[in-house]
C-alpha cells in the first residue's frame, strides 16, 4: 500500500516526504487514508487520500464535477465559508486513475473531531444547523447542472421494489433466515414509499440536498465544538429537503450505533430529535413548505426503512455493496434500523408535537 500511496502523492505533486499513513474506517463505501508529509523544515501536513468505489459510483469523474460546482457556488456566495480543498495533478485534474483503474482523489486534511453517537445536545443542535445551512447555501443553485451520480438514490419505493424482487429470487438462499424482517417491511412498504411517490408527482419542491447527512459528515472544531465544514459531497443531488432531515435524525437520535447488535440498546431519543429539529429548522424552517414540514416525521421513518431495506437487500444478494466487517454485518444493520423505525412509529405523536412546537 505504501508504494501506491507514494505514487499518488507524487502525481498530485504534494511537497515533502511521506512520514505516516493510517486508514480511516468510518465510511461504508470508499477507502480513505490520512497521509502525512514532512517538509524540509520539519513541519508536517496531512492529506486525505480516497479511493472511490467505482462499483457504487459508476462515473466518479461526474462526482468530482458536481463537487467542483457545489463548492464553487458556496465559496462565491459565502467567501468566509470553509469548503473542501482538492489537489490537482500536473494535468490539472482533481482526480487520478492509476494503472489498475482505481480512481483516487486527494484533499487537505482538516484538523477536527467528528461525532458518531453523541449525547451532547448542543452538538446535535449545531449539527442540525450545519446541515440546514448547507441546504440554504444551495437553495439558489441550479440542480439541473448536477449529474445524478446514483439514480433514484433516495427513491424509497424503488428501493423496496428492488428488495422484494431479490427476495423472490433469493440468490444466496438467505431469505428463509429473514422472514420476520421481510414480513415487517411488507407491512410498511406502501407507507414508507409514499413520500417518494408524492415527490415524483410534484407534491414537494425539488431541492439540492446532501443525501448522506450522518453526523460524522460534519467536521467540528476540537475546542469550540462548533461545525467547521460539511463533508462527503459525493451524493449531492436534487432531492427532498425532509429526507436530509430524516437521514440525520435516523443516525444522530439513535441511542446506539447504526450497526448495534444488542437491540435493547437501540431506541429513538426524542430529546436528541428535538435538539436536531431546533438547529435544522432554525436555518431552513422558514423556507420549507407546509407539506415538507408536515412530512418530517414520516421522512424520518421512511428513510430508516429505506436503509433497513438497502442493508437487507445487500445481505440477501451476497454483501456486494456495503463493506462488511463480519458475515452477518448487513443483517445486524438491518435489525438495528428496523428496531429504530418501529420506535419512531411508536413515538410518532410525540415527534409531531416537537416539530409543531419548533415551527410555531
Ligand atoms: C454509505 O460510505 P458512507 O458511510 O459515506 C451510503 C449511505 C448510507 C450509509 C449508511 C453512496 O455512506 O447512503 O446512508 O453508508 N452511501 C452510498 O451508513 O450508498
Ligand atoms: Mg457517504
Amino acid at each position: 500500500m505504501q508504494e501506491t500511496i507514494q505514487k499518488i502523492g507524487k502525481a498530485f505533486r504534494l511537497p515533502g516526504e511521506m512520514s505516516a499513513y493510517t486508514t480511516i474506517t468510518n465510511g461504508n463505501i470508499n477507502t480513505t487514508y490520512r497521509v502525512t508529509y514532512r517538509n524540509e523544515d520539519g513541519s508536517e501536513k496531512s492529506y486525505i487520500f480516497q479511493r472511490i468505489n467505482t462499483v457504487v459510483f459508476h462515473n466518479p469523474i461526474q462526482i468530482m464535477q458536481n463537487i467542483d460546482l457545489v463548492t464553487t457556488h458556496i465559496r462565491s456566495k459565502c467567501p468566509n465559508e470553509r469548503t473542501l480543498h482538492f489537489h490537482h495533478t500536473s494535468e490539472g485534474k482533481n482526480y487520478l486513475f492509476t494503472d489498475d483503474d482505481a480512481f483516487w482523489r486527494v484533499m487537505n486534511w482538516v484538523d477536527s473531531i467528528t461525532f458518531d453517537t453523541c449525547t451532547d445536545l448542543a452538538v446535535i443542535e449545531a449539527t442540525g444547523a450545519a446541515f440546514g445551512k448547507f441546504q440554504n447555501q444551495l437553495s439558489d443553485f441550479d440542480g439541473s447542472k448536477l449529474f445524478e451520480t446514483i439514480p433514484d438514490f433516495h427513491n424509497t419505493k424503488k428501493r423496496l421494489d428492488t428488495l422484494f424482487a431479490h427476495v423472490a429470487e433469493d440468490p444466496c438462499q438467505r431469505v428463509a433466515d429473514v422472514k420476520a424482517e421481510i414480513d415487517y417491511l411488507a407491512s410498511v412498504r406502501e407507507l414508507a414509499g409514499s413520500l417518494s411517490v408524492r415527490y415524483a408527482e410534484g407534491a414537494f419542491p425539488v431541492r439540492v440536498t446532501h443525501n448522506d447527512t450522518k453526523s460524522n459528515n460534519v467536521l467540528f472544531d476540537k475546542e469550540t465544538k462548533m461545525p467547521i465544514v460539511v463533508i462527503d459531497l459525493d451524493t449531492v443531488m436534487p432531492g427532498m429537503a425532509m429526507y436530509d432531515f430524516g437521514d440525520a435524525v435516523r443516525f444522530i437520535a439513535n441511542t446506539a450505533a447504526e450497526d448495534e447488535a444488542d437491540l435493547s440498546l437501540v431506541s429513538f431519543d426524542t430529546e436528541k430529535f428535538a435538539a436536531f429539529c431546533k438547529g435544522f429548522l432554525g436555518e431552513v424552517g422558514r423556507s420549507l413548505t407546509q407539506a415538507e414540514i408536515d412530512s418530517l416525521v414520516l421522512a424520518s421513518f421512511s428513510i430508516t426503512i429505506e436503509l433497513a431495506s438497502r442493508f437487507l437487500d445487500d445481505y440477501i444478494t451476497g454483501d456486494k455493496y456495503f463493506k462488511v466487517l463480519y458475515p452477518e454485518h448487513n443483517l445486524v444493520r438491518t435489525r438495528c434500523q428496523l428496531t429504530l423505525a418501529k420506535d419512531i412509529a411508536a413515538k410518532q405523536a410525540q415527534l409531531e408535537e416537537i416539530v409543531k412546537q419548533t415551527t410555531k
Side-chain angles (χ1 to χ4, degrees):
M1 200 58 231
Q2 186 160 338
E3 216 174 281
T4 310
I5 288 191
Q6 244 146 359
K7 248 195 225 160
I8 292 159
K10 227 185 214 143
F12 284 95
R13 301 171 298 167
L14 302 181
E17 290 289 322
M18 189 189 103
S19 56
Y21 75 91
T22 49
T23 309
I24 294 179
T25 52
N26 62 9
N28 289 326
I29 307 287
N30 298 325
T31 306
T32 309
Y33 300 91
R34 175 185 176 173
V35 187
T36 304
Y37 281 74
R38 189 177 291 123
N39 294 308
E40 265 170 31
D41 64 2
S43 64
E44 292 199 318
K45 185 171 161 65
S46 292
Y47 303 86
I48 291 284
F49 284 31
Q50 206 166 34
R51 196 180 75 222
I52 302 294
N53 178 335
T54 48
V55 175
V56 168
F57 293 107
H58 300 294
N59 197 332
I61 297 175
Q62 292 185 346
I63 295 185
M64 297 313 290
Q65 290 182 6
N66 279 359
I67 294 177
D68 239 358
L69 289 172
V70 164
T71 52
T72 303
H73 179 86
I74 294 176
R75 270 197 294 268
S76 69
K77 196 169 160 182
C78 325
N80 295 326
E81 195 68 36
R82 187 121 174 219
T83 51
L84 297 179
H85 178 98
F86 288 91
H87 289 265
H88 291 78
T89 64
S90 56
E91 289 166 12
K93 299 203 163 100
N94 57 5
Y95 60 85
L96 173 78
F97 276 108
T98 48
D99 296 340
D100 54 350
D101 255 1
F103 183 100
W104 289 87
R105 66 185 175 194
V106 171
M107 63 192 119
N108 280 350
W109 163 265
V110 179
D111 193 33
S112 57
I113 39 166
T114 55
F115 299 91
D116 295 323
T117 48
C118 177
T119 49
D120 184 338
L121 295 179
V123 166
I124 295 176
E125 187 181 329
T127 306
F131 282 128
K133 202 164 117 192
F134 183 81
Q135 214 166 82
N136 273 341
Q137 287 166 344
L138 296 177
S139 59
D140 55 348
F141 179 82
D142 176 5
S144 68
K145 286 188 186 153
L146 297 174
F147 293 106
E148 200 177 5
T149 48
I150 303 182
D152 289 316
F153 191 56
H154 284 321
N155 185 335
T156 309
K157 182 187 181 299
K158 272 211 172 158
R159 294 284 190 182
L160 285 159
D161 290 348
T162 305
L163 169 73
F164 283 101
H166 289 149
V167 166
E169 290 166 20
D170 195 9
C172 302
Q173 281 88 51
R174 286 181 170 178
V175 167
D177 311 336
V178 292
K179 188 99 193 26
E181 288 75 13
I182 290 167
D183 285 350
Y184 177 72
L185 285 167
S187 75
V188 296
R189 183 173 178 178
E190 206 176 314
L191 176 66
S194 63
L195 290 178
S196 52
V197 172
R198 289 172 60 202
Y199 174 67
E201 292 166 355
F204 308 107
V206 177
R207 312 263 186 199
V208 177
T209 48
H210 183 279
N211 294 310
D212 189 8
T213 47
K214 297 198 286 194
S215 51
N216 53 21
N217 279 334
V218 181
L219 304 186
F220 277 82
D221 185 288
K222 280 180 180 158
E223 265 95 55
T224 64
K225 301 260 169 52
M226 290 310 287
I228 306 174
V229 60
V230 171
I231 61 164
D232 190 357
L233 307 182
D234 298 340
T235 49
V236 173
M237 281 180 282
M240 286 180 267
M242 59 279 190
Y243 261 49
D244 266 5
F245 173 92
D247 204 12
V249 294
R250 170 190 77 76
F251 196 82
I252 210 167
N254 186 348
T255 48
E258 186 183 56
D259 58 353
E260 176 57 59
D262 179 353
L263 297 179
S264 71
L265 301 176
V266 178
S267 67
F268 195 75
D269 186 315
T270 54
E271 276 185 20
K272 291 182 179 181
F273 176 83
F276 186 89
C277 240
K278 195 169 164 212
F280 187 82
L281 293 175
E283 288 289 333
V284 296
R286 264 185 292 276
S287 51
L288 295 185
T289 65
Q290 195 57 44
E292 287 175 312
I293 292 172
D294 291 344
S295 309
L296 292 170
V297 177
L298 178 55
S300 311
F301 175 77
S302 305
I303 195 150
T304 307
I305 291 295
E306 178 183 300
L307 262 294
S309 78
R310 292 177 63 195
F311 291 141
L312 187 58
D313 180 48
D314 202 28
Y315 179 71
I316 65 175
T317 54
D319 304 314
K320 296 194 179 84
Y321 188 96
F322 297 103
K323 281 184 199 158
V324 286
L325 300 178
Y326 53 92
E328 309 254 285
H329 202 166
N330 271 319
L331 182 55
V332 165
R333 288 172 174 144
T334 305
R335 291 186 170 141
C336 177
Q337 295 304 300
L338 289 179
T339 305
L340 190 66
K342 286 175 189 171
D343 202 35
I344 296 174
K347 290 171 177 159
Q348 186 192 351
Q350 210 182 330
L351 300 174
E352 298 288 7
E353 186 56 32
I354 292 169
V355 171
K356 207 164 135 199
Q357 292 305 323
T358 316
T359 48
K360 85 171 182 202

